Amino acid sequence: MVQLFGKTLTRREIAASSGALAQFAGVRLMTLGDGLERGIRMLEFRTGTGLRFTVLVDRAMDIADCDYRGQAIGWNSPAGFRSPYLHEYEGEGGLGWLRSFSGLLVTCGLDHILFMYDEPADHYVYGPRQTVSHSIHGRVGTIPARLTGYGEAWDGDECTLWAEGIVQQATVFGEDLHLIRRIEAKVGSNEIQIHDRVVNHGFYKTPHMYCYHINAAAPLLEEGARYVAPIEDVVWAAHAGEAYRQQGVGYRTMPSPQLNFHEQVWQHELKADAAGLVPVALVNDRLGLAFEVETRKDQFPCQYEWQNLQSGQYALGLEPSTNHVLGHKGARDRGELIWLEHGEERRYDTVFRIHDGKAALAGLEARIAAIAVQPSEEYPAPSGNHRKIAGR
């Protein structure tokens, strides 16, 4: 049964009330037509509850806009949703990626994340290629997908909105990795489900690193909004040391937009619940609204918090990752880099949830606190203890 407009409805009752489901909910394909977005294929999802989000088919099927009952959840940066055909991957010393950095979900990978790195290329058995030069956060986020399908699927009286596509990151004498992404949202729900498979389609042994840059923004992000997570340990902060308190912004409570703010990045060791799930949320008590990201600890063992609180770029990043913030070289040196042989794959199953109302927020926070109680102080001393990632 579908929960819509305070009623529990059957498929027949919905059909009797309108000429098409699209009156209430649905998914449709469109093409953007102006400015730097021109030519991008986009899917718009509406679940009927007030949850609306868009998927950029031509940018790795990442999620661009997201809003709930007219209140923005996702980030629109000044870079905009730039066409991938304008992107220069190796521009600006590896920082050209920032000129395409915008949206609720920006996927990082498939063979590299974090800062720039020149990786030894001996595994590709090609003499002229001594290194693979990686720009910040990898190539995948600006590669167009092949859209393999989308639509509305009924199962009895339940309806699921869905889309699926394949993003291929490949070169001659190098990697051939496929991201197979499926996005689902049930009609009548406030959830977005993302199911990813990263498969080595090639025949070279290939490294794999993966991260979601999930960017929440105003009005959900505002002065007093809180980062809520089952933190066992604050592992690392990029600004630790003499500059730790310099900007007056701790990890937990967000300020209003700041002038001349330098980004702050933290790594937290988060505890999973009995089912292996890790919930993280941005909570706004004034609005009675929260945005939750739920991942699997065995898929994303690491979590970062990114604070970009600069005026005009105001965002908070919730970042599940396959690896510590130590980077590509650090993962290699510690034996924690994932290597995929032909046909091998890694799976990632993630849920985004909107929580609406005081009772829903209280339930969310109680569930997280039951897993682990996060530090109450804003500036906990980073331990520097990057736990060994097993099974690599």
Side-chain angles (χ1 to χ4, degrees):
M1 307 282 274
V2 174
Q3 302 293 325
L4 281 178
F5 320 119
K7 294 182 178 180
T8 301
L9 301 173
T10 65
R11 181 178 183 179
R12 180 185 177 88
E13 288 170 331
I14 291 173
S17 300
S18 66
L21 177 64
Q23 182 169 313
F24 308 126
V27 54
R28 62 178 178 174
L29 179 65
M30 59 191 74
T31 301
L32 300 177
D34 197 17
L36 51 75
E37 302 173 342
R38 186 161 62 92
I40 295 178
R41 292 171 297 162
M42 184 176 79
L43 292 162
E44 181 188 54
F45 285 71
R46 295 176 300 116
T47 68
T49 65
L51 175 60
R52 186 194 75 92
F53 62 96
T54 58
V55 174
L56 300 179
V57 177
D58 290 317
R59 287 183 35 158
M61 294 194 69
D62 277 340
I63 297 175
D65 307 294
C66 178
D67 50 73
Y68 178 71
R69 295 184 176 177
Q71 301 170 102
I73 305 297
W75 183 44
N76 279 228
S77 85
F81 302 120
R82 192 167 183 244
S83 168
Y85 307 112
L86 300 175
H87 184 66
E88 297 178 25
Y89 176 74
E90 296 179 355
E92 300 184 58
L95 294 176
W97 178 88
L98 297 173
R99 294 192 179 273
S100 297
F101 183 26
S102 189
L104 178 69
L105 171 63
V106 179
T107 302
C108 306
L110 298 169
D111 57 346
H112 173 78
I113 61 172
L114 299 163
F115 276 102
M116 296 75 77
Y117 178 64
D118 287 342
E119 170 198 358
D122 51 292
H123 49 289
Y124 293 134
V125 200
Y126 184 58
R129 174 171 290 185
Q130 295 298 306
T131 62
V132 178
S133 183
H134 294 293
S135 295
I136 187 172
H137 282 319
R139 292 174 167 83
V140 71
T142 52
I143 299 176
R146 177 165 59 87
L147 184 62
T148 55
Y150 69 96
E152 300 136 10
W154 284 93
D155 182 9
D157 288 321
E158 281 197 347
C159 183
T160 299
L161 312 176
W162 67 277
E164 191 169 283
I166 301 173
V167 184
Q168 183 172 4
Q169 179 186 319
T171 185
V172 176
F173 306 128
E175 80 278 7
D176 183 4
L177 295 171
H178 290 196
L179 166 60
I180 303 166
R181 170 164 288 175
R182 184 177 178 90
I183 297 174
E184 296 182 350
K186 288 189 180 299
V187 173
S189 82
N190 288 331
E191 288 190 359
I192 304 169
Q193 295 187 22
I194 303 168
H195 302 287
D196 285 353
R197 294 167 51 219
V198 178
V199 183
N200 185 358
H201 188 257
F203 286 82
Y204 295 116
K205 176 183 174 183
T206 301
H208 168 53
M209 302 179 79
Y210 207 47
C211 174
Y212 291 156
H213 217 301
I214 303 164
N215 309 298
L220 179 67
L221 175 63
E222 66 176 8
E223 184 176 9
R226 295 177 294 114
Y227 176 85
V228 178
I231 299 175
E232 289 189 294
D233 181 30
V234 175
V235 176
W236 179 90
H239 54 297
E242 292 183 2
Y244 199 33
R245 298 171 180 260
Q246 184 173 309
Q247 298 191 107
V249 178
Y251 90 94
R252 185 169 183 170
T253 307
M254 303 305 128
S256 60
Q258 307 287 294
L259 291 175
N260 300 317
F261 186 86
H262 190 286
E263 68 166 5
Q264 296 185 166
V265 183
W266 317 68
Q267 182 177 343
H268 305 298
E269 182 64 40
L270 303 188
K271 186 177 181 180
D273 67 12
L277 302 175
V278 178
V280 182
L282 179 62
V283 176
N284 186 312
D285 297 296
R286 186 186 70 83
L287 293 177
L289 196 64
F291 171 64
E292 177 196 358
V293 176
E294 182 183 80
T295 56
R296 294 197 56 85
K297 184 73 172 180
D298 58 348
Q299 296 174 347
F300 286 122
C302 304
Q303 293 267 352
Y304 318 142
E305 175 190 355
W306 177 67
Q307 296 174 330
N308 180 15
L309 305 176
Q310 168 68 22
S311 294
Q313 302 184 11
Y314 191 55
L316 179 77
L318 313 176
E319 298 184 61
S321 172
T322 56
N323 292 91
H324 292 301
V325 76
L326 302 172
H328 198 129
K329 185 177 187 301
R332 275 177 167 265
D333 292 347
R334 290 166 57 96
E336 295 174 348
L337 188 63
I338 298 169
W339 289 92
L340 299 177
E341 298 283 1
H342 171 72
E344 292 184 336
E345 66 179 56
R346 288 290 188 276
R347 292 175 178 260
Y348 303 93
D349 303 290
T350 301
V351 180
F352 296 169
R353 290 192 186 93
I354 306 298
H355 298 265
D356 185 10
K358 185 175 180 180
L361 268 58
L364 169 65
E365 293 203 57
R367 177 161 58 89
I368 291 174
I371 302 170
V373 178
Q374 68 189 91
S376 58
E377 64 268 37
E378 292 285 347
Y379 302 93
S383 69
N385 179 25
H386 294 91
R387 298 183 185 178
K388 180 68 177 176
I389 301 174
R392 298 286 172 86

